[in-house]
Amino acid sequence: MEQKVIAQPLQVALDKFNALDEKISHYSSVIGLADWDSKVMAPKKGRSVFAKAIGTLRTEVFKMSVSQEMGELLTVLTSSEFEEQLDTVTKAKVREYRKYYQKSKTIPADLYQEYAILTGQANDAWEEARATNNFEFYLPFLERIIDFKRQFAEIYGYQEHPYDALLDEFEPGLTVNKLDPLFAKLRESSVNLLERIQKYGQPAPHHIFEQSYDVEKQKQFNRFFLPIIGFDMEAGRLDETVHPFAQTVNIGDVRLTTRYLAENVSSALFGTIHEAGHGIYEQNVNPAFGESVLQEGASFGIHESQSRFLENMVGRSKEFWRYFYPQLQSYFPEQLKNVSVEGFYRAVNTVKPSFIRVEADELTYNLHIMVRYEIEKALISGELEAKDLPVVWNQKMKEYLGITPSTDSEGVLQDVHWSFGGIGYFPSYSLGNLYAAQILRTIEKEIPDFYQHIENGKFDVIQEWLKDSIHQYGKLYTPNELIVRVTGEELNADYLVEYLEKKYSAVYGL
Ligand code: ZN
């Protein structure tokens, strides 16, 4: 171990900074637990007071993160005298807190207050508008949110495109200039592949899911496979919710949720595998980063790459089902008696354009993201106004997915994100797929019998690789640093394009 001689004032600042980091992390840990509880366990009548209590704790975390003490510590630690003496871990922590501190300080308090009130109202308006198919009702709220976001982009600052300022909140360092060519390539090839599947593809036996699958048995099967694919049940749990999610309390307590549908066994299966991808990531973070800002994943996009990798590249592979299908059949002998593993594999890889993003298949999912990305970019730059959204939305759906929503509820009103100001977030989902395919290419090189391990149910070899290459680092590296470290190059769309082409040509006999 290298031992640096550290000046006394620096050591004092470091001790204080680390103590503050740990305190913030402890608060966040309890907030995470409370959040989980409010969604999974809390009785209906207590929920609104519970939400207020969680809000109070969040405010405390916010205050600590932007406190005078934090400001002073960051000034000391980034001073020319001391910055070079910091180790990599401290530098990463400082990077994270500094970014948050600077952003929070640049928005005037009254502006932020106004925005917070607006998003609360906009969420109710959105729910009402979607339920009654009334875009006009939601429009004034949306216009104001976009107006705020345009202002925030100017305040945060950007080099080339105002949307860059919003992207950076979710995927640090990502810009429109980097993203446009990646998405353009993916969009063109996906639209083309989709057309070929619809014209020439052999239909997959998707009807096998439209039967009754006993929920208790589904629960047993999910609990059976979860530890096998690498989730440590002694460092986590699996529960039920309406909207599946993963919540980390700490590295030794990662909680997954899933949703069981009696009429569709695949919903819980792939929901659980997806959330397990998120959960395993956080269980595998280096324990030395526990109780600190670094215990989370590198970014939204990288996090999503780990869930998509496990769900799609592993969980929807033929080898995965060669191993698990006989087991699944033993749980549901009646429903699956006439379905071969090949048929099941093709059924879980069915491609069918639909209006609802969250239910989209692996191929058309990215096209949903493209629609939203292009619209958001144009809204923030001022090329598009909110009142024109329903028309533009439907045009893009037709152009990319070949279908036109019959109502705005089914179209422009379907996602909650914009109502809480979550503009800039959608690209993370497709980034996850892009990262995942690039990681797959590398892992196949480094573990040549990758798919053989899956077929043998030997997931530990794969999880060890992911842990060594990605998971252990938590938030130590920026997403770009991490992908270059792992795969030797910056993000490149070719890998996902080739993966989708190869996979669906086989599934659909193209
Ligand atoms: Zn996810």
Side-chain angles (χ1 to χ4, degrees):
M1 286 281 284
E2 62 174 324
Q3 199 69 46
K4 281 182 180 161
V5 182
I6 292 175
Q8 184 63 21
L10 175 56
Q11 190 58 58
V12 172
L14 274 177
D15 289 345
K16 281 189 185 163
F17 177 70
N18 285 326
L20 189 54
D21 174 39
E22 190 180 272
K23 189 173 169 189
I24 290 173
S25 169
H26 285 165
Y27 269 75
S28 304
S29 166
V30 176
I31 291 170
L33 173 62
D35 252 342
W36 173 86
D37 193 281
S38 70
K39 289 174 188 148
V40 178
M41 301 293 278
K44 204 170 149 190
K45 288 184 178 172
R47 276 187 209 156
S48 68
V49 177
F50 198 2
K52 277 172 74 183
I54 296 172
T56 300
L57 279 180
R58 271 192 214 289
T59 307
E60 288 307 304
V61 170
F62 176 76
K63 282 183 187 162
M64 282 186 265
S65 309
V66 300
S67 61
Q68 193 181 345
E69 185 190 12
M70 179 64 90
E72 286 167 6
L73 289 168
L74 290 172
T75 305
V76 172
L77 295 174
T78 55
S79 67
S80 54
E81 187 187 350
F82 292 144
E83 193 171 20
E84 282 315 302
Q85 297 182 52
L86 302 181
D87 59 29
T88 320
V89 174
T90 310
K91 272 187 187 154
K93 286 185 187 178
V94 168
R95 177 194 72 214
E96 292 303 315
Y97 280 113
R98 193 177 185 208
K99 190 172 172 181
Y100 189 76
Y101 183 86
Q102 288 179 334
K103 273 206 162 155
S104 312
K105 287 288 176 190
T106 52
I107 304 270
D110 50 342
L111 192 69
Y112 196 81
Q113 182 72 17
E114 215 183 307
Y115 172 70
I117 294 168
L118 171 66
T119 50
Q121 295 165 339
N123 193 266
D124 293 341
W126 167 75
E127 276 185 15
E128 163 95 30
R130 193 176 66 153
T132 55
N133 189 37
N134 185 350
F135 180 75
E136 293 300 316
F137 181 71
Y138 177 47
L139 181 60
F141 295 94
L142 188 56
E143 281 174 332
R144 286 187 61 208
I145 285 178
I146 292 161
D147 207 50
F148 268 106
K149 286 287 164 173
R150 285 172 180 165
Q151 286 185 61
F152 289 174
E154 294 304 321
I155 295 172
Y156 294 153
Y158 53 87
Q159 301 266 310
E160 290 141 353
H161 196 290
Y163 191 65
D164 293 349
L166 306 183
L167 274 177
D168 188 69
E169 282 191 72
F170 303 100
E171 205 61 18
L174 188 68
T175 61
V176 165
N177 272 348
K178 284 187 192 169
L179 200 49
D180 270 352
L182 295 170
F183 274 12
K185 196 177 246 182
L186 178 60
R187 190 189 66 231
E188 279 160 35
S189 73
S190 298
V191 168
N192 177 283
L193 180 55
L194 177 60
E195 280 172 9
R196 280 181 288 136
I197 289 172
Q198 290 183 315
K199 250 190 189 157
Y200 310 114
Q202 307 290 324
H206 193 255
H207 64 273
I208 60 169
F209 296 127
E210 289 143 24
Q211 309 180 58
S212 177
Y213 291 87
D214 181 69
V215 166
E216 278 312 309
K217 280 196 177 161
Q218 287 196 46
K219 287 183 187 173
Q220 287 166 20
F221 186 72
N222 276 263
R223 282 177 197 288
F224 156 72
F225 76 72
L226 194 51
I228 300 176
I229 63 173
F231 186 78
D232 180 356
M233 294 299 281
E234 288 183 4
R237 309 173 44 96
L238 174 65
D239 295 273
E240 260 185 274
T241 39
V242 184
H243 303 289
F245 66 96
Q247 176 69 56
T248 296
V249 178
N250 59 59
I251 289 171
D253 184 354
V254 177
R255 304 181 181 209
L256 311 182
T257 67
T258 195
R259 177 181 63 160
Y260 299 98
L261 299 178
E263 69 280 12
N264 188 344
V265 74
S266 72
S267 176
L269 273 181
F270 292 102
T272 303
I273 300 173
H274 180 96
E275 298 310 331
H278 286 301
I280 293 167
Y281 188 174
E282 302 223 341
Q283 285 182 333
N284 282 342
V285 171
N286 182 347
F289 301 163
E291 302 171 78
S292 93
V293 70
L294 303 181
Q295 76 169 345
E296 295 166 27
S299 67
F300 284 86
I302 297 285
H303 230 299
E304 199 61 13
S305 80
Q306 295 311 290
S307 55
R308 302 270 162 174
F309 183 83
L310 201 60
E311 179 193 351
N312 293 329
M313 277 78 180
V314 175
R316 290 185 208 268
S317 70
K318 198 179 280 182
E319 291 77 7
F320 186 89
W321 290 107
R322 282 198 187 126
Y323 180 73
F324 279 115
Y325 191 59
Q327 306 282 350
L328 184 66
Q329 272 182 315
S330 75
Y331 281 77
F332 301 103
E334 269 308 304
Q335 291 87 338
L336 299 173
K337 68 181 172 202
N338 294 321
V339 187
S340 65
V341 63
E342 175 74 22
F344 188 81
Y345 160 70
R346 293 185 54 226
V348 301
N349 286 295
T350 300
V351 170
K352 193 172 186 295
S354 69
F355 298 116
I356 309 301
R357 174 184 60 87
V358 293
E359 289 164 14
D361 57 77
E362 193 181 357
L363 174 63
T364 61
Y365 191 91
N366 296 312
L367 296 172
H368 284 270
I369 299 303
M370 306 296 158
V371 170
R372 288 155 175 79
Y373 168 63
E374 287 168 22
I375 286 176
E376 288 189 347
K377 209 171 54 170
L379 283 171
I380 295 304
S381 70
E383 289 160 65
L384 177 65
E385 292 304 327
K387 66 176 169 41
D388 301 320
L389 270 174
V391 173
V392 175
W393 182 282
N394 289 2
Q395 278 170 353
K396 287 199 183 285
M397 284 297 286
K398 178 75 187 156
E399 193 184 343
Y400 300 162
L401 287 119
I403 51 176
T404 309
S406 55
T407 64
D408 287 337
S409 296
E410 204 173 51
V412 68
L413 286 173
Q414 73 175 262
D415 279 300
V416 67
H417 293 65
W418 292 342
S419 76
F420 62 76
I423 297 177
Y425 182 79
F426 280 120
S428 305
Y429 293 118
S430 279
L431 278 174
N433 292 329
L434 290 163
Y435 285 131
Q438 189 162 326
I439 291 164
L440 175 68
R441 182 64 68 94
T442 304
I443 203 172
E444 280 186 279
K445 263 189 238 155
E446 297 188 7
I447 309 178
D449 41 4
F450 173 75
Y451 280 109
Q452 194 57 50
H453 285 297
I454 295 176
E455 189 166 339
N456 296 339
K458 295 274 173 233
F459 294 90
D460 49 345
V461 183
I462 296 165
Q463 292 299 357
E464 273 306 308
W465 189 93
L466 292 170
K467 181 179 179 177
D468 283 351
S469 315
I470 300 167
H471 299 172
Q472 62 157 322
Y473 297 114
K475 226 179 177 59
L476 183 63
Y477 298 115
T478 65
N480 192 54
E481 284 168 355
L482 186 66
I483 197 71
V484 172
R485 252 185 95 91
V486 176
T487 68
E489 62 177 311
E490 300 214 355
L491 189 58
N492 179 336
D494 291 345
Y495 302 117
L496 182 58
V497 168
E498 286 163 22
Y499 160 85
L500 291 169
E501 184 68 35
K502 189 174 158 205
K503 175 168 183 175
Y504 288 102
S505 295
V507 169
Y508 277 96
L510 298 177

